[in-house]
Amino acid sequence: MEIEDENNFKLRPMKCELNYLSRSDGSAILAQGETVVLVSVNGPLDIKSTSQSIEKATLEVLFCTKGGKPSVADRFKENIIRQTCETAILGCLYPRTGISLTIQELEDFGGLLTCTVNCACLALLNSGIAMRHMVAAVCCAVSEEGNLVLEPSYTQVQSASALLYFVFDSRERNLVTGFTEGSFSENTYEEALARCRLASDVVFDFYRDIVKQYSDVI
Amino acid sequence: MKISIGDVVLPGDYCEEISQVAEKSKVIIGPGLRKEVDRVYITKPGVLKKRNPGTFWVDSYQKRYVPSRGENVIGVVVQKAGDIFRVEIGGSITAALSYLSFEGATKKNRPEVQVGDVVYAKMLVASKDMEPELVCVDSHGKKGRLGVLSDGFVFKCSLNLIRKILNPNCPLLETLKNEWPFEVAAGMNGRIWIKANSMRETIAVGNAILGAEYLNDEEIRSMCNNIAAILAGHVS
């Protein structure tokens, strides 16, 4: 297995704009490489009493694909994002309310899910909802030769033998969410986890840069 | 990450300075800060501010209002339910306003408030577990500046803009008030009510306020002068 220099990460270039939508409480558009996602956050707002929870805010996630047709795969993505964001948000401060997260896929050239999670985190930051910590998602592919590729491109995703997704928190870099596709060895998993954990710092630094840029103006 | 006063902070960061001050004297932690077992953690992105001796808070960008006690807000009456009015204030649920909490109101002498009226009221109860409650009188039973706002024009903006224009150092209203007469009420829930003599003047005030969001003091002054010149007809 090829081992790179541990401090030399090449994540795909990230570009972001906060407050992209004027009417929603918080919104962000994020491009990671050629993958682009737009997320809008509304809340805390009133929701119907059957879905209210007396101890915390209910998170509703709606994922819209580029084609617009809902599918089972989208429900899976919604679930991952909901569970990830629920750990990040301090829902106990807003009991009996709902927070709705609407995600629109604009371009998918690999790593859509990591881009979505990161964009959702930026939109939540923009909305001013209290959060325990931030989250950063990093994707890692295992190529056919068994090499690890961080943030794979579209062609690399197509040819990969396995894909590993990890989401980390910003406090202790603990694993929040992790899921995998394909087959791989235990060692590969450990190695990918360690690399992605280090790479998550790049994402967190990016968040800080973005918020710094906006705090001067706002 | 460890941060200090004046820095741009993000959720999950912690500040040891607050804990150090807390060892010696009392501290007040405001919005965007939360004490957990061992440390004080940040919960909102923004700039960490301090006012001596021991008040800390995070100045963050927000559009959605979360009720908090003692703030003056502008709301719209949406329902009359028995002895209370339900007022929409932009929070997650409507707030309750008792008909007895108006100046001089008694059980016999009900205040004249209709559905659709705009009221300027103070937040009396604002807890996350209870319905917010408003009053239109102070503790002496006087209405002061609170009460129904008749005529005028209401628009929404971000919560930061309200805090900005209400800041005593902000030159916006100071400059504008010398140019032409108008009345303005700013609710901490991100709503502004304006009443001027003509529609032209009302729109001019509204545009001046909305335009001030991303400007510094000097730019605000020149913008106000510009608007005043246009309004006076010197520039078309």
Side-chain angles (χ1 to χ4, degrees):
Chain A
M1 193 176 291
E2 185 194 3
I3 299 194
E4 289 172 42
D5 175 15
E6 289 212 335
N7 295 318
N8 183 22
F9 296 109
K10 280 274 189 271
L11 291 189
R12 291 179 297 171
M14 290 186 278
K15 285 177 193 154
C16 172
E17 188 177 332
L18 295 182
N19 227 357
Y20 187 74
L21 305 170
S22 59
R23 306 290 295 256
S24 62
D25 293 333
S27 55
I29 185 166
L30 175 69
Q32 277 189 293
E34 285 158 318
T35 308
V36 189
V37 172
L38 171 63
V39 176
S40 134
V41 176
N42 276 295
L45 36 82
D46 201 13
I47 49 166
K48 59 176 187 285
S49 53
T50 47
S51 46
Q52 280 179 8
S53 160
I54 54 158
E55 54 193 9
K56 62 178 174 44
T58 314
L59 200 64
E60 286 175 342
V61 179
L62 187 70
F63 187 92
C64 311
T65 50
K66 205 159 67 170
K69 268 200 185 140
S71 70
V72 177
D74 298 342
R75 298 292 91 75
F76 172 68
K77 289 194 187 89
E78 283 174 9
N79 252 324
I80 291 166
I81 295 154
R82 204 191 67 235
Q83 286 167 5
T84 308
C85 291
E86 259 173 9
T87 59
I89 293 172
L90 272 167
C92 58
L93 295 181
Y94 315 106
R96 286 167 290 98
T97 61
I99 296 168
S100 81
L101 233 116
T102 314
I103 299 152
Q104 174 65 55
E105 165 199 356
L106 295 174
E107 294 291 345
D108 179 12
F109 286 96
L112 176 67
L113 221 105
T114 54
C115 187
T116 311
V117 171
N118 294 339
C119 191
C121 182
L122 282 162
L124 284 169
L125 286 176
N126 181 237
S127 72
I129 289 172
M131 289 162 85
R132 226 171 255 122
H133 50 70
M134 300 177 295
V135 288
V138 184
C139 173
C140 187
V142 182
S143 66
E144 279 168 334
E145 302 86 56
N147 294 334
L148 287 175
V149 186
L150 275 177
E151 288 290 316
S153 65
Y154 185 69
T155 46
Q156 284 168 323
V157 169
Q158 298 300 316
S159 64
S161 66
L163 281 168
L164 301 95
Y165 298 87
F166 300 103
V167 183
F168 301 96
D169 76 26
S170 65
R171 283 195 190 174
E172 309 287 336
R173 307 285 185 272
N174 287 328
L175 191 63
V176 177
T177 311
F179 53 95
T180 53
E181 290 167 25
S183 59
F184 47 87
S185 70
E186 203 179 317
N187 285 338
T188 318
Y189 182 84
E190 292 292 336
E191 164 118 22
L193 180 64
R195 279 216 210 165
C196 288
R197 177 169 284 144
L198 287 168
S200 71
D201 281 353
V202 178
V203 183
F204 288 125
D205 288 344
F206 174 72
Y207 289 167
R208 202 169 287 274
D209 283 348
I210 289 289
V211 173
K212 244 182 207 144
Q213 278 173 31
Y214 278 87
S215 66
D216 293 340
V217 203
I218 293 171
Chain B
M1 200 173 129
K2 209 168 100 182
I3 40 87
S4 49
I5 313 293
D7 282 357
V8 170
V9 295
L10 287 167
D13 293 345
Y14 60 93
C15 184
E16 279 181 351
E17 277 177 73
I18 301 177
S19 322
Q20 283 162 9
V21 177
E23 281 169 14
K24 292 177 206 127
S25 59
K26 223 176 183 178
V27 292
I28 299 165
I29 53 170
L33 294 168
R34 179 181 160 87
K35 189 183 178 296
E36 286 184 20
V37 190
D38 50 342
R39 287 166 176 163
V40 175
Y41 281 101
I42 309 289
T43 61
K44 287 178 184 181
V47 183
L48 183 62
K49 298 273 177 81
K50 179 191 183 184
R51 177 181 287 167
N52 286 325
T55 310
F56 299 88
W57 75 96
V58 177
D59 202 0
S60 71
Y61 181 81
Q62 201 164 340
K63 284 194 216 165
R64 170 70 60 173
Y65 181 62
V66 178
S68 87
R69 192 173 187 270
E71 287 182 342
N72 288 348
V73 297
I74 292 174
V76 181
V77 179
V78 288
Q79 193 190 6
K80 278 187 187 179
D83 48 5
I84 60 158
F85 303 112
R86 295 216 181 277
V87 184
E88 204 277 309
I89 52 163
S92 61
I93 48 171
T94 56
L97 173 63
S98 166
Y99 75 90
L100 289 172
S101 59
F102 284 85
E103 188 180 81
T106 57
K107 284 208 159 183
K108 289 259 173 64
N109 178 23
R110 287 189 167 227
E112 277 189 30
V113 179
Q114 305 302 325
V115 170
D117 279 0
V118 177
V119 290
Y120 188 51
K122 196 178 267 295
M123 211 39 102
L124 183 70
V125 175
S127 151
K128 64 181 163 66
D129 299 305
M130 288 195 299
E131 186 184 29
E133 216 173 294
L134 297 168
V135 283
C136 279
V137 285
D138 60 13
S139 45
H140 303 290
K142 290 276 175 280
K143 69 170 185 277
R145 285 167 181 159
L146 306 173
V148 177
L149 302 171
S150 52
D151 301 333
F153 172 67
V154 178
F155 64 92
K156 293 180 189 172
C157 62
S158 78
L159 304 189
N160 298 64
L161 182 56
I162 300 285
R163 290 199 287 265
K164 184 172 182 174
I165 63 165
L166 289 180
N167 188 336
N169 298 327
C170 178
L172 179 76
L173 296 176
E174 285 299 315
T175 318
L176 281 184
K177 74 179 185 190
N178 300 327
E179 305 289 349
W180 68 90
F182 62 89
E183 282 182 82
V184 61
M188 289 302 284
N189 57 342
R191 291 191 188 172
I192 295 176
W193 171 87
I194 308 168
K195 187 176 169 184
N197 290 330
S198 68
M199 197 155 69
R200 237 172 109 78
E201 287 176 9
T202 310
I203 293 168
V205 179
N207 284 346
I209 292 173
L210 286 176
E213 181 150 21
Y214 305 115
L215 303 181
N216 62 30
D217 289 359
E218 206 41 58
E219 287 166 330
I220 288 175
R221 277 194 200 95
S222 77
M223 178 196 64
C224 289
N225 292 334
N226 248 335
I227 290 177
I230 293 169
L231 200 70
H234 300 316
V235 188
S236 57

